[in-house]
């Protein structure tokens, strides 16, 4: 499976596992997880480690009508469960779900922990990645808080399109209440923001079913970028 990865991903794993013992490598299981399936729940015992080889994973912030909505997304190669190991945490701190059909290597925490804490190079690679992720999340959270109400709705729609858009189109059914709960805005503000987008031709609505094309997504993303640039001036 590792040999079928692209060159950059394969080289990363080769460096990561350069000094790993045979007992660790032969102890991995290959698992396929279907789109929309939660494989780690926040608060559960952190007893397994997953390595994403193919697909995409969402860190889940909210569920509406059994649809996963994530606040950040991960692509290969990513290791899940190692942050809990390095932080001496007994339970997972984030709920994770497959945002599309995905393939992982899976092993026990005990087996993985016994190796990585004694492998300086792998430990350094993982620490750099975790710090980079935490810094990026902090930046996104500050930006989201500063955005005006309408722009929060715009950002949510662009994130959904990037995560779930297929074939140049994304369609979602969400009520005004759902939007309000996800964005932290009033229902009145949500209604006003969606009407503005519809009037500009940036979305198509049939009741609370919202459709975005690739072109419409690009226009909404441009509106957000303009707002962010104004805030930075």
């Amino acid at each position: 499976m590792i040999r079928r990865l692209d060159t950059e991903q394969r080289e990363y794993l080769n460096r990561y596992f350069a000094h790993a013992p045979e007992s660790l490598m032969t102890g991995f299981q290959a698992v396929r997880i279907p789109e929309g399936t939660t494989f780690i729940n926040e608060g559960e015992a952190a007893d397994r480690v997953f390595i994403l080889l193919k697909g995409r994973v969402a860190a889940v912030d909210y569920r509406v009508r059994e649809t996963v909505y994530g606040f950040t997304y991960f692509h290969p190669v990513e290791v899940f469960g190692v942050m809990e190991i390095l932080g001496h945490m007994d339970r997972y701190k984030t709920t994770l779900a497959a945002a599309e059909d995905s393939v992982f290597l899976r092993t026990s925490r005990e087996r993985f922990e016994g190796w990585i804490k004694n492998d300086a190079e792998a430990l350094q690679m993982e620490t750099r990645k975790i710090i980079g992720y935490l810094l990026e999340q902090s930046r996104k959270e500050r930006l989201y808080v500063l955005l005006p109400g309408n722009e929060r709705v715009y950002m949510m729609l662009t994130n959904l399109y990037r995560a779930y858009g297929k074939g140049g189109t994304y369609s979602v059914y969400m009520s005004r209440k759902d939007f309000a709960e996800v964005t932290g805005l009033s229902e009145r503000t949500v209604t006003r923001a969606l009407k503005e987008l519809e009037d500009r031709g940036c979305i198509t609505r049939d009741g609370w079913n919202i459709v975005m094309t690739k072109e419409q997504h690009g226009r909404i993303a441009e509106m957000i970028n303009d707002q962010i640039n104004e805030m930075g001036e």
Side-chain angles (χ1 to χ4, degrees), residues 12-202:
Y12 179 86
L13 278 180
N14 284 338
R15 292 198 311 274
Y16 194 80
F17 288 122
H19 308 295
E22 186 70 16
S23 58
L24 174 71
M25 303 307 295
T26 57
F28 280 112
Q29 293 177 305
V31 293
R32 298 181 183 274
I33 297 180
E35 178 180 353
T37 303
T38 299
F39 61 95
I40 287 179
N41 283 290
E42 180 180 352
E44 286 183 344
D47 56 359
R48 294 169 297 171
V49 172
F50 294 81
I51 300 176
L52 177 64
L53 297 185
K54 180 180 179 182
R56 182 172 46 179
V57 166
V60 178
D61 187 44
Y62 197 78
R63 279 182 176 268
V64 177
R65 304 181 191 278
E66 299 306 315
T67 300
V68 172
Y69 293 90
F71 61 83
T72 194
Y73 298 88
F74 302 94
H75 300 81
V77 173
E78 194 70 43
V79 184
F80 304 106
V82 70
M83 182 176 71
E84 286 78 4
I85 290 174
L86 300 184
H88 302 280
M89 306 169 190
D90 295 329
R91 299 190 176 278
Y92 293 118
K93 296 301 180 181
T94 306
T95 297
L96 299 171
E100 59 186 55
D101 293 346
S102 300
V103 177
F104 300 81
L105 295 179
R106 182 180 65 192
T107 191
S108 69
R109 171 178 177 151
E110 182 181 9
R111 187 188 299 269
F112 196 88
E113 184 173 7
W115 160 68
I116 197 167
K117 285 187 173 180
N118 297 291
D119 190 318
E121 185 169 350
L123 191 60
Q124 186 179 60
M125 290 172 68
E126 200 58 58
T127 301
R128 281 200 303 266
K129 180 170 281 193
I130 290 173
I131 291 173
Y133 162 74
L134 293 175
L135 289 173
E136 178 64 14
Q137 278 303 116
S138 177
R139 186 192 71 82
K140 288 180 178 179
E141 288 171 5
R142 291 197 304 271
L143 174 62
Y144 191 75
V145 168
L146 292 171
L147 283 174
N150 283 16
E151 279 70 18
R152 289 193 193 183
V153 175
Y154 304 166
M155 180 170 282
M156 176 186 169
L157 288 172
T158 59
N159 287 341
L160 290 174
Y161 182 92
R162 289 167 183 163
Y164 304 107
K166 294 180 180 179
T169 303
Y170 175 69
S171 176
V172 61
Y173 179 91
M174 287 182 70
S175 70
R176 182 169 56 186
K177 181 180 178 181
D178 293 334
F179 262 106
E181 290 183 3
V182 174
T183 59
L185 301 171
S186 69
E187 294 184 17
R188 183 177 180 181
T189 300
V190 168
T191 300
R192 185 171 61 245
L194 293 176
K195 186 177 187 307
E196 180 181 335
L197 288 175
E198 187 177 20
D199 291 344
R200 292 188 179 192
C202 295

